């Protein structure tokens, strides 16, 4: 039952993903959550995030920001990284993920999703059939509703890590 929330890959950071290698495997689009995935919650795009999107463009990727936040937050981040975005995405429902793929002209088989939350980011991407990358939150300061979800995420991640260890 908990497996529906398990990411395909769990890493420390969105900045440590081998995007070049994944491009060689046939991936062409990357959908990102913003807050605590690319920058701390509410922070503007920084040099590292700007460089990441420049790198993705050089490789040949289409990219999309997918956020449950309101447009001013997502737009201000996007203005600096130069991607496209969907705000008030209503994650974990798969419709916004599907819309993002349509805009990027990709399919579930050629799209990656990178986010920091299991119950919105990962679960929604999995429902849309997309390969999921869960990354550790960049900063511990979060809104109260996310703090409560993090407690439940720890339980799911405990079983996820135990299953992965048993597979090795």
């Amino acid at each position: 039952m908990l497996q529906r929330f398990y990411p395909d890959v769990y890493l420390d950071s969105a900045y440590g993903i081998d995007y070049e290698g994944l491009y060689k495997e046939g991936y062409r689009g990357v959908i990102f959550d913003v807050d605590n995935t690319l920058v701390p919650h509410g922070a503007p795009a920084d040099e590292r995030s700007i460089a990441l999107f420049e790198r993705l463009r050089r490789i040949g990727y289409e990219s999309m920001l997918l956020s449950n936040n309101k447009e001013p937050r997502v737009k201000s981040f996007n203005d600096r990284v130069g991607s496209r975005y969907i705000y008030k995405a209503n994650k974990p429902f798969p419709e916004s993920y599907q819309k993002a793929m349509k805009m990027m002209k990709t399919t579930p088989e050629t799209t990656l999703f990178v986010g920091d939350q299991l119950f919105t980011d990962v679960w929604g991407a999995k429902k849309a059939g997309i390969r999921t990358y869960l990354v550790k939150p960049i900063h511990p300061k979060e809104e109260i509703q996310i703090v409560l979800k993090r407690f439940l995420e720890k339980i799911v991640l405990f079983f996820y890590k135990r299953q992965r260890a048993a597979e090795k």
Side-chain angles (χ1 to χ4, degrees), residues 91-149:
K91 296 181 287 184
F93 295 103
E95 290 80 10
S96 290
Y97 298 85
Q98 294 160 347
K99 180 179 178 183
M101 287 186 285
K102 185 175 182 180
M103 291 171 72
M104 293 189 301
K105 297 181 173 72
T106 61
T107 65
E109 297 78 24
T110 63
T111 305
L112 306 167
F113 180 85
V114 182
D116 70 299
Q117 293 187 54
L118 287 176
F119 302 127
T120 52
D121 297 333
V122 170
W123 191 28
K126 287 182 75 80
K127 289 194 288 186
I130 300 169
R131 184 173 180 181
T132 58
Y133 281 74
L134 176 69
V135 297
K136 293 178 182 174
I138 288 177
H139 194 274
K141 183 178 182 247
E142 298 183 294
E143 296 174 335
I144 187 65
Q145 72 272 16
I146 296 173
V147 171
L148 297 173
K149 284 192 277 185

Side-chain angles (χ1 to χ4, degrees), residues 6-150:
Y6 289 0
D8 295 306
V9 181
Y10 183 37
L11 296 172
D12 287 338
S13 170
Y15 299 98
I17 296 172
D18 179 11
Y19 295 103
E20 289 83 0
L22 291 164
Y23 191 86
K24 289 177 185 172
E25 290 179 28
Y27 291 95
R28 296 296 180 262
V30 186
I31 303 170
F32 289 97
D33 175 55
V34 178
D35 286 325
N36 254 346
T37 297
L38 296 168
V39 292
H41 186 81
D46 56 15
E47 295 308 314
R48 184 167 71 158
S49 57
I50 294 166
L52 174 62
F53 282 84
E54 289 172 357
R55 176 180 162 205
L56 292 172
R57 281 189 287 277
R58 278 194 312 273
I59 296 167
Y61 279 106
E62 294 291 328
S63 66
M64 180 72 63
L65 302 174
L66 191 66
S67 176
N68 283 346
N69 265 309
K70 295 176 183 170
E71 186 173 23
R73 164 64 184 136
V74 184
K75 183 181 183 317
S76 68
F77 182 90
N78 186 66
D79 285 348
R80 298 217 43 219
V81 300
S83 184
R84 287 178 282 178
Y85 63 91
I86 298 172
Y87 63 96
K88 289 188 181 179
N90 208 21
K91 296 181 287 184
F93 295 103
E95 290 80 10
S96 290
Y97 298 85
Q98 294 160 347
K99 180 179 178 183
M101 287 186 285
K102 185 175 182 180
M103 291 171 72
M104 293 189 301
K105 297 181 173 72
T106 61
T107 65
E109 297 78 24
T110 63
T111 305
L112 306 167
F113 180 85
V114 182
D116 70 299
Q117 293 187 54
L118 287 176
F119 302 127
T120 52
D121 297 333
V122 170
W123 191 28
K126 287 182 75 80
K127 289 194 288 186
I130 300 169
R131 184 173 180 181
T132 58
Y133 281 74
L134 176 69
V135 297
K136 293 178 182 174
I138 288 177
H139 194 274
K141 183 178 182 247
E142 298 183 294
E143 296 174 335
I144 187 65
Q145 72 272 16
I146 296 173
V147 171
L148 297 173
K149 284 192 277 185
R150 294 287 186 208

